[in-house]
Amino acid sequence: MRKQLLFTLVLFISLFSCSEKKISDTRTAYTDQPYQQDYSIKYNITDTGTILYKVSADRNGVIQILSSQGLLHPFSGAMLYPGALVPDDTYRPMKDRKIAAIGLYQHQLVYLDDKAVLSNAWAGNLYSKHGLPDAAVFAGGDDFAFLISDGSSLQYLKNSQALWQNKSGEQVLDIVYDSTKHAFLVLTPQQIFSFSPADKNYTTLFKADSLTCFTIANNGKDIVAGTHNGYIVIDASTGKQKGEINRKLPWTELTAVTEIEGKLWFGSKRGAFMLKEDGKFNYYASKRWLPSDNVKQIVKGGKDNVLILTDAGLAKIFFTAMTLEDKAAFFDKQVRQRHIRNGFNATLAGMKDGNLGTGHMEDSDNDGLWTSMYLGAEAFRYAVTKSPEALQNCRESLDAMERLYSVNPVKGFPARSYERRGYKLHDPEKWIPAPDPEWDWKSTTSSDEAIGHIFVFAVLAELVDDEDIKKKSVALIDSLMQHVVDNDFYLVDWDGKPTLWGKWNPQYVNARPKNVGDRKINSSNIIAMLQTAYHFTKKEIYKEKAFELMNKHGYLENLMRPMKEIGQAPADADDWSKMLSQGWNHSDDEMYFLGYWGLYRYAFNDTLKEKYKEAIIDHWEVERPEKEGAWNIFTALTGAKEFDLKEAVWYLQEYPLDMIGWTVQNSERKDIELVEPNFRGQTTKEVLPPDELDISRHNGNRFDLNGGRNGNSEYSAGDIWLLPYWMGRYLEVINAPANK
């Protein structure tokens, strides 16, 4: 994982602005308060031949779906555990009726069949006969009067009397009732008609091409009409179009539009989206949110959810009040129940279409790194809360980390991972039999493992008031760093050779051109590691070697080099340097920021500390467009007044509760502004929210628009979310909920 360039070959969202509480004269903190967290419960069709037409939900929360197999309703289902759409036999007489449409009237379920408009509400008294046996579209007006259509004819009914009938002139797609004007609106592909029951006047209100759907909005002042290429806002009184057609949408081929709680919702062939006050959209697409992206209808569900009907099933998008602390508790359970393997923080892999019951925990090149980050989160959590559970979590994962050093025979050398013999999954050529015949261990350990280890051992040694943990952590720091020093700043594997990436020796580091990132990252990391080792062991060798690297070999100059100078190697550089610098390496970002803990916190003197702060802020400045929560929080370590706290909170709030690797496709969206290809891999002017992107760790590029694995894995929140949250709590830039 050390170099992605090489190894690729081998809820609506309501974002609250930060509540700021002064914790010093120079810095502010976010006081945790409830925000609207969205999540989805999905209900799939059990027969792929079933066609879904309409969905409605009544005042009691009863949901019914009209399908080619009759009435269906959702059964079972919870977040991450989809339910199913099954036949609704609640009212037995409904099974024998030829129901062609379903809708609401006065918040009750109403049906249209080949004979009448009817309902089981009002003691079953609503039964208004009609004369259009093929009627399939209807809406209710005042005093139990209904306008119905079979697609070519219209009939206005009340108490089984046809009070008006006419040809529509075009195919009727939909009918809605405007209660403010006491008139029906009729949608056809080319026009919107108005029908006044008072004077039986049927007139054209608006003409346009390719109309597909419409709704009344803004307290009856507007009509919003969807088309095959965007949507139009129409003045409901004059029938005049307001402004230009809106095409800056996630997808412009619209299939549904409705207003719910004052928010416009749109359905399309590529997902659903809700218009926010800032003119941007919350985009609900992929199986993270919907059974399929082909949306057929959107309606209000209960008081806290929206129903989105697709051709493959129904989604309930819930919006619940949640604090960041609540979210942390949720993710803590996710990690402990499904992501702890031998004490490691692991990925659940091998799943079939997001089914959590089909997965297994897999070994990883970076078991030590991902566990270091989760273990750091639990150490920060314990430092803040003194939670016995957090302390026990620290003990268990530290045991796993410690065994990386004892499972192999190389003194001071950490294995990448270990597993029971015969059960390893990845890179079989890198696995070595352990002295214990029951186990194998993984070799070729890299520099990102090393910096992760040193980071978390330091956090444990400093912040966890448990003597056994402190002693064990300091011993592990000393063991690893003595190995590095004894081997001339290399990680030396079982075969007596340096690993591919475990190289901090000046001959290797300074062989890279000055603008190649490896020269800067390796210098920054090794100085951080040596400072940390000296801080906790007080062994002069670590301090001496650090100053030797800085003063004799230019490592201070290397690590202070501005990020704006980092780029592709010059034409006359060696092939390795060219390979290393083809593009920005986000794994390096992860290594830098983990290293910044020891670089800044354990600086040898105040002069160096100020220099390190300058380097950290310089790095953070180029990272700001990504709105990466962890890097913003790490930057707060320096005491900087500005570290994009609001964006860090945004990251934490917007990260989805569903951590399954669903496939996402954003590159063809019409509401994003693409930028020219560049060294950093930034694709859009503004980064998309985490819940619209592929799930990725902190070493991923948050500007990657497409990705995912068809729901075959679930990532752990331990490193992705819990680390920045609990670090923020420890650094007091995120406070506990206001009521605590």
Side-chain angles (χ1 to χ4, degrees):
M1 193 283 292
R2 164 65 179 86
K3 286 290 176 184
Q4 293 175 326
L5 290 170
L6 182 64
F7 283 92
T8 51
L9 303 176
V10 217
L11 66 145
F12 68 57
I13 300 290
S14 176
L15 182 60
F16 282 71
S17 60
C18 290
S19 296
E20 296 181 330
K21 176 183 177 183
K22 289 283 185 179
I23 61 172
S24 71
D25 291 336
T26 60
R27 200 159 62 171
T28 56
Y30 172 76
T31 298
D32 198 4
Q33 58 183 312
Y35 67 96
Q36 292 295 310
Q37 176 69 54
D38 47 358
Y39 64 91
S40 176
I41 298 179
K42 291 159 284 189
Y43 303 87
N44 299 314
I45 53 176
T46 56
D47 180 356
T48 55
T50 301
I51 302 172
L52 304 179
Y53 300 121
K54 293 288 184 180
V55 61
S56 283
D58 71 7
R59 61 183 295 271
N60 302 310
V62 174
I63 300 170
Q64 285 189 323
I65 297 95
L66 179 63
S67 78
S68 58
Q69 304 300 316
L71 293 175
L72 307 177
H73 62 176
F75 173 73
S76 190
M79 189 181 65
L80 302 176
Y81 299 92
L85 297 181
V86 299
D88 188 345
D89 298 332
T90 343
Y91 279 82
R92 290 178 298 154
M94 302 303 292
K95 288 181 65 67
D96 297 324
R97 307 202 72 90
K98 296 179 180 178
I99 300 172
I102 185 173
L104 286 184
Y105 185 72
Q106 295 183 4
H107 307 292
Q108 302 282 9
L109 290 168
V110 178
Y111 311 92
L112 174 68
D113 70 4
D114 58 335
K115 296 182 176 65
V117 176
L118 67 149
S119 178
N120 295 310
W122 305 288
N125 282 319
L126 174 58
Y127 190 85
S128 187
K129 296 179 182 179
H130 63 74
L132 298 179
D134 295 323
V137 183
F138 79 107
D142 295 332
D143 197 22
F144 289 87
F146 295 86
L147 183 64
I148 70 171
S149 176
D150 62 4
S152 60
S153 297
L154 292 158
Q155 193 173 86
Y156 179 58
L157 302 171
K158 185 174 181 181
N159 297 329
S160 298
Q161 297 295 314
L163 304 180
W164 175 84
Q165 187 164 323
N166 199 358
K167 291 291 185 181
S168 66
E170 297 180 39
Q171 179 190 3
V172 173
L173 301 176
D174 198 6
I175 304 172
V176 299
Y177 184 66
D178 184 347
S179 60
T180 62
K181 297 178 179 60
H182 303 283
F184 290 93
L185 299 177
V186 179
L187 178 72
T188 73
Q190 305 295 326
Q191 299 185 69
I192 297 174
F193 295 91
S194 175
F195 171 66
S196 170
D199 56 15
K200 309 301 186 290
N201 189 25
Y202 184 68
T203 57
T204 298
L205 181 66
F206 180 77
K207 290 185 178 183
D209 293 329
S210 303
L211 298 173
T212 58
C213 51
F214 76 148
T215 193
I216 298 170
N218 193 17
N219 296 315
K221 296 176 182 177
D222 295 332
I223 300 168
V224 180
T227 75
H228 288 292
N229 190 19
Y231 75 89
I232 301 164
V233 178
I234 304 155
D235 187 301
S237 297
T238 65
K240 301 295 184 182
Q241 181 173 324
K242 293 183 173 182
E244 298 296 320
I245 188 167
N246 297 275
R247 294 195 175 99
K248 196 174 181 180
L249 316 175
W251 199 248
T252 58
E253 189 177 5
L254 300 179
T255 57
V257 59
T258 191
E259 186 182 58
I260 300 174
E261 303 293 342
K263 302 289 186 182
L264 281 175
W265 283 79
F266 299 88
S268 76
K269 297 287 188 179
R270 291 280 290 271
F273 35 96
M274 184 268 288
L275 180 62
K276 300 189 295 184
E277 291 181 0
D278 61 3
K280 299 175 185 177
F281 293 92
N282 280 348
Y283 186 35
Y284 298 94
S286 84
K287 288 189 176 181
R288 178 180 298 155
W289 300 107
L290 308 175
S292 88
D293 283 350
N294 187 2
V295 175
K296 309 194 80 170
Q297 189 184 10
I298 303 175
V299 301
K300 179 177 171 57
K303 64 180 181 180
D304 61 351
N305 63 84
V306 168
L307 305 179
I308 301 177
L309 186 68
T310 76
D311 63 354
L314 177 74
K316 273 187 181 181
I317 309 297
F318 281 85
F319 310 96
T320 186
M322 179 177 279
T323 63
L324 292 180
E325 189 171 81
D326 294 333
K327 197 167 185 176
F330 174 88
F331 279 142
D332 179 64
K333 291 180 181 179
Q334 184 245 22
V335 176
R336 301 310 301 179
Q337 291 176 356
R338 297 195 293 276
H339 294 280
I340 299 299
R341 168 189 155 267
N342 296 331
F344 290 128
N345 174 42
T347 297
L348 189 67
M351 293 160 49
K352 297 178 181 178
D353 198 27
N355 185 342
L356 292 172
T358 61
H360 57 261
M361 286 183 287
E362 65 176 1
D363 59 70
S364 164
D365 254 11
N366 296 103
D367 276 337
L369 177 59
W370 309 144
T371 305
S372 293
M373 298 170 80
Y374 167 61
L375 181 50
E378 291 303 286
F380 289 128
R381 176 186 170 198
Y382 176 73
V384 171
T385 67
K386 301 302 179 184
S387 161
E389 289 184 358
L391 183 60
Q392 182 59 25
N393 295 343
C394 288
R395 291 192 181 104
E396 293 178 13
S397 286
L398 182 57
D399 284 346
M401 297 291 291
E402 182 184 37
R403 195 174 184 209
L404 290 171
Y405 292 79
S406 62
V407 74
N408 77 84
V410 183
K411 184 179 180 181
F413 181 84
R416 280 189 179 273
S417 184
Y418 52 81
E419 186 53 277
R420 296 183 187 277
R421 187 156 297 173
Y423 290 93
K424 54 187 177 290
L425 289 171
H426 300 295
D427 310 317
E429 73 281 359
K430 297 178 183 177
W431 288 81
I432 310 296
D436 183 336
E438 294 294 322
W439 295 85
D440 292 327
W441 64 278
K442 195 170 191 178
S443 61
T444 71
T445 305
S446 66
S447 53
D448 46 3
E449 298 291 298
I451 193 61
H453 290 207
I454 295 299
F455 159 73
V456 77
F457 296 153
V459 171
L460 290 166
E462 180 181 356
L463 304 183
V464 178
D465 56 2
D466 179 279
E467 283 306 309
D468 182 59
I469 288 177
K470 285 181 179 292
K471 290 178 181 178
K472 189 179 294 186
S473 299
V474 173
L476 289 169
I477 292 171
D478 191 28
S479 179
L480 173 56
M481 293 312 298
Q482 193 64 56
H483 173 98
V484 171
V485 170
D486 288 346
N487 288 284
D488 202 17
F489 296 105
Y490 291 107
L491 273 180
V492 175
D493 216 331
W494 63 276
D495 58 1
K497 300 177 182 178
T499 65
L500 182 63
W501 300 114
K503 299 174 181 178
W504 302 275
N505 182 281
Q507 187 175 353
Y508 172 83
V509 171
N510 288 334
R512 311 278 76 79
K514 290 183 178 182
N515 70 325
V516 172
D518 270 52
R519 184 163 178 156
K520 178 177 171 71
I521 180 61
N522 286 2
S523 298
S524 180
N525 274 186
I526 192 61
I527 298 304
M529 293 159 69
L530 289 167
Q531 284 187 161
T532 301
Y534 175 75
H535 179 85
F536 288 102
T537 69
K538 300 306 178 186
K539 290 185 177 180
E540 287 296 325
I541 186 65
Y542 298 132
K543 188 174 185 179
E544 291 170 5
K545 290 296 182 181
F547 275 107
E548 179 182 326
L549 291 175
M550 286 192 287
N551 296 331
K552 182 177 178 181
H553 298 288
Y555 277 34
L556 181 59
E557 178 187 351
N558 289 344
L559 72 87
M560 290 298 297
R561 184 160 291 111
M563 280 291 177
K564 66 181 180 181
E565 296 182 13
I566 303 301
Q568 293 181 330
D572 60 351
D574 62 285
D575 290 343
W576 189 254
S577 294
K578 289 179 180 178
M579 183 280 297
L580 291 174
S581 60
Q582 291 176 14
W584 194 264
N585 192 314
H586 295 272
S587 289
D588 283 1
D589 291 328
E590 189 170 63
M591 294 169 62
Y592 275 118
F593 279 96
L594 290 174
Y596 289 156
W597 180 269
L599 187 70
Y600 180 81
R601 200 169 182 91
Y602 311 128
F604 290 127
N605 55 58
D606 289 343
T607 300
L608 284 173
K609 198 167 193 175
E610 283 303 307
K611 287 182 176 293
Y612 299 152
K613 179 176 180 178
E614 179 184 338
I616 295 169
I617 298 298
D618 173 71
H619 187 182
W620 168 75
E621 285 284 358
V622 302
E623 294 296 322
R624 295 180 76 177
E626 290 196 39
K627 300 183 181 179
E628 224 292 351
W631 307 159
N632 290 334
I633 297 297
F634 264 99
T635 302
L637 169 71
T638 66
K641 181 179 179 180
E642 179 56 62
F643 53 92
D644 286 350
L645 174 61
K646 183 177 180 180
E647 285 72 15
V649 172
W650 173 84
Y651 172 95
L652 294 170
Q653 290 180 341
E654 293 281 339
Y655 222 95
L657 297 178
D658 182 345
M659 301 282 279
I660 294 173
W662 298 112
T663 299
V664 299
Q665 184 82 17
N666 288 295
S667 58
E668 297 178 353
R669 286 173 60 166
K670 313 302 181 185
D671 63 332
I672 58 176
E673 186 175 344
L674 298 174
V675 298
E676 291 296 321
N678 53 79
F679 180 72
R680 286 191 56 82
Q682 182 172 342
T683 56
T684 55
K685 185 176 180 180
E686 186 172 357
V687 72
L688 292 172
D691 62 356
E692 297 176 14
L693 298 171
D694 180 22
I695 299 295
S696 65
R697 289 189 160 97
H698 298 296
N699 65 327
N701 180 5
R702 297 203 61 250
F703 282 99
D704 283 344
L705 296 174
N706 305 327
R709 294 150 297 282
N710 297 314
N712 72 352
S713 60
E714 183 191 51
Y715 278 89
S716 166
D719 50 298
I720 294 173
W721 198 94
L722 291 174
L723 175 62
Y725 171 72
W726 283 113
M727 188 177 186
R729 287 288 301 272
Y730 172 73
L731 294 176
E732 295 185 332
V733 296
I734 299 174
N735 292 332
N739 60 355
K740 288 196 173 184

